[in-house]
Amino acid sequence: MNQSFLDVLWLARMQILQGLGMTLLISALAIVVGTFVGVFVGLALTYGATPLRWLARIYTDFIRGTPVLVLILASYYILGTVGVHLDAFQAGVLALAVFCSSHIGEIVRGALQTIHRGQTEAAKAIGLTFSQTFLYVLMPQAARQAMPSWVNTAAEIVKASTLLSVIGVAELLLTNQQIIARTFMSLPFYFSCGFLYFLINFGIERFGKYVERRLAISTN
Amino acid sequence: MTQLLSIKGLHKSYGKTEVLKGVDCDMQQGDVVCIIGSSGSGKTTMLRCINMLEDFDAGTIELDGQTIGYETRGGQRHRRNEREIAQQRALTGMVFQQFNLFPHMTALDNVTLGLVKVKKMERAAAVELAEHWLDRVGLLARKGHYPGQLSGGQQQRVAIARAIAMTPKLMLFDEVTSALDPELVNEVLQVIKDLAREGMTMLLVTHEMRFAYEVATRVIFMNGGRIGEEGDPKKMFHSPTTERLGEFLKSSGFS
């Protein structure tokens, strides 16, 4: 037990890297799928015909009102009882993606509603179809509006991925807990683990700022 | 002269408020028709029905041989699907009071968007055509500017270029100088006058009485959702036959 933290860290480096890789993979999958689905949820919330809009509204309110941990446990344990058998990784990604999509849906709705009605009318007037109007006129403007909130949600997903440790997915937190159980070095490993989460979210924030700059509209 | 537009018995209500109570209007190719009237008389609504920015409840609009917005199948009136309506909208070009340029695109891209996506033109050909029209409205040098970098008058001229580059059969102008500072009004009106002189068919809702007087081949005075009076602007403005038009002209400062 005379080993220093750095020695242990070095010995456990592959395990930690694997945990980090797992966290990155889960988060990336959940954010990408969640964003993609969320855009459609947002469209349904904003422009959907009444039944579709209500369906989207129930979906977002229900999911947003449910703790993420409950979503994770539900997709791991409950889906199995109705014949959908997912392993812990699949169930975890599904739960986080669903959670992400409901938040992105609300963000997209909010962003679309800030765009002046005249934009849609001008696009229609030159003969663009609805999907063309969305793609070329509304989405670029909405994306810029939504970027800061999107960064927040993405960071939430990364943090929520720690909850997958509960169903046994060997992501970054669970990996560190396993090392701590072996070495009893709780403080330095929790600290270094926290630092890695900070780095991931810092990266997301920088990416968000970069996209925001790219989408910035010149006014002078 | 060829008949271009024929509106018959146009009715439109918002909820219980009837805005258009049976409007008839014909336009020949090359006509420049100005619609005047006090606010709430249905001028803008009439214009917006022609390109289906507003649905209408009854009546027909025929433009260039097509019945706009609705078709009759088995004696029933059906709204056309969105794709057909989008195609019909390309028959008209519209310029708005608030310009409505796309703020995330340069002046040039504002004009090419419709050419590339709706007219399916090659990018190079679209750019060439867009540059031609930006030149015509005197803004070729500003083609790389974003709307936020242009004055109101310049934005409105880009909006005119965007609409007319699509080679519409009919241009619709909806109070296009109302949101402009007074010193910028003339540069926009001049562009419209030039287009009129070249034979572009246009329908304008306007509060510029002097402009209507000078440029219009016919003036329509809307009153309470109906056409109150219409005819040659010179005759109408000097000797209105209805009392309502006389009052309107007086309150508009035209005498």
Side-chain angles (χ1 to χ4, degrees), chain B residues 1 54 64 79 86-87 102 118-119 123 127 139 163 172 196:
Chain B
M1 291 264 236
E54 301 287 350
D64 196 35
R79 194 178 193 272
Q87 280 164 2
F102 307 130
V118 179
K119 295 258 176 209
R123 172 89 194 150
V127 168
L139 288 170
L172 306 169

Side-chain angles (χ1 to χ4, degrees), chain A residues 116-129 131-132 136-138 140-141 215 217-220, chain B residues 48 51 53 83 86 89-90 92 94 96 100-105 113-114 117-118 120 146 148-149 162 166:
Chain A
H116 192 265
R117 198 173 54 125
Q119 291 290 307
T120 312
E121 292 185 348
K124 280 180 178 174
I126 55 175
L128 294 179
T129 60
S131 49
Q132 288 173 326
Y136 306 118
V137 176
L138 301 178
Q141 298 184 60
L215 295 173
I217 293 167
S218 305
T219 50
N220 48 48
Chain B
R48 290 164 59 89
N51 66 355
L53 285 184
R83 184 159 293 277
R89 283 190 180 118
T92 57
M94 190 171 204
F96 299 85
N100 296 342
L101 290 182
F102 307 130
H104 57 296
M105 292 180 193
L113 181 67
K117 301 301 172 192
V118 179
K120 310 288 179 201
Y146 287 87
Q149 300 167 314
R162 173 175 71 179
M166 298 291 289

